[in-house]
Amino acid sequence: MEHFNAAPAEEARRTLLTCLDSPHWALLMAGHRPYPDLTSLLAASDEAAYDLTAAELARALTAEALPALPADTYAAAHTALNAAYAAYEAKFGHVFVICLDGLKPDAVLDHVLEGIRSRLANDPEEERPVAAEELRRLARGRLTALLSDGAADHRLSPPDEPDNQGEYPRPSP
């Protein structure tokens, strides 16, 4: 946390963009440093994420990747999910986002299937706050992973590779 608080503003913004691709959110987060602890940082992240405009939300959603499934997921599930992802993207204009933090690998497929099935029933106005909440949860998880256990002391710059579980691959800012 100390390294993040002391980093140059541009470096902090680039790092924050790996957690949520919203320049406005990253600027707010970097500009309100120093944070006394992770809890304060996460509260600020939530507040800034709740204030995303429709355009900022659309940009952040565009940058997201589909959630990865466990390697042993059978081919029929991949086919079904690809069809569901395509239907979701056609209906809402962005990829399906869902936070998988805290799930055991054997629960991921069921959680993704349940989520996409229920959310495909939403109209676009109902889905926007749901997708925004999932992005907020993803940002919290990414910030926690980035700044917990001294990880930020060793690597404040954005990672070049997906995280070690491959669940949230991020494009380079």
Side-chain angles (χ1 to χ4, degrees), residues 39-59:
T39 302
S40 299
L41 174 77
L42 294 177
S45 170
D46 288 348
E47 189 66 31
Y50 288 134
D51 292 337
L52 291 177
T53 66
E56 291 164 345
L57 176 60
R59 177 194 168 115

Side-chain angles (χ1 to χ4, degrees), residues 58-115:
R59 177 194 168 115
L61 287 167
T62 299
E64 288 298 318
L66 293 171
L69 295 176
D72 63 348
T73 303
Y74 55 96
H78 282 284
T79 301
L81 274 175
N82 286 338
Y85 289 154
Y88 182 96
E89 191 164 351
K91 182 172 184 177
F92 298 111
H94 58 80
V95 298
F96 175 73
V97 291
I98 191 164
C99 183
L100 303 174
D101 291 350
L103 292 177
K104 294 180 179 180
D106 61 350
V108 168
L109 178 60
D110 289 338
H111 187 74
V112 172
L113 284 171
E114 178 184 323

Side-chain angles (χ1 to χ4, degrees), residues 9-66:
E10 185 57 32
E11 184 178 348
R13 281 195 300 272
R14 279 194 317 269
T15 298
L16 288 164
L17 287 170
T18 68
C19 298
L20 180 66
D21 191 10
S22 167
H24 180 71
W25 175 87
L27 182 66
L28 286 173
M29 295 294 298
H32 285 107
R33 293 174 304 147
Y35 295 98
D37 53 35
L38 183 59
T39 302
S40 299
L41 174 77
L42 294 177
S45 170
D46 288 348
E47 189 66 31
Y50 288 134
D51 292 337
L52 291 177
T53 66
E56 291 164 345
L57 176 60
R59 177 194 168 115
L61 287 167
T62 299
E64 288 298 318
L66 293 171

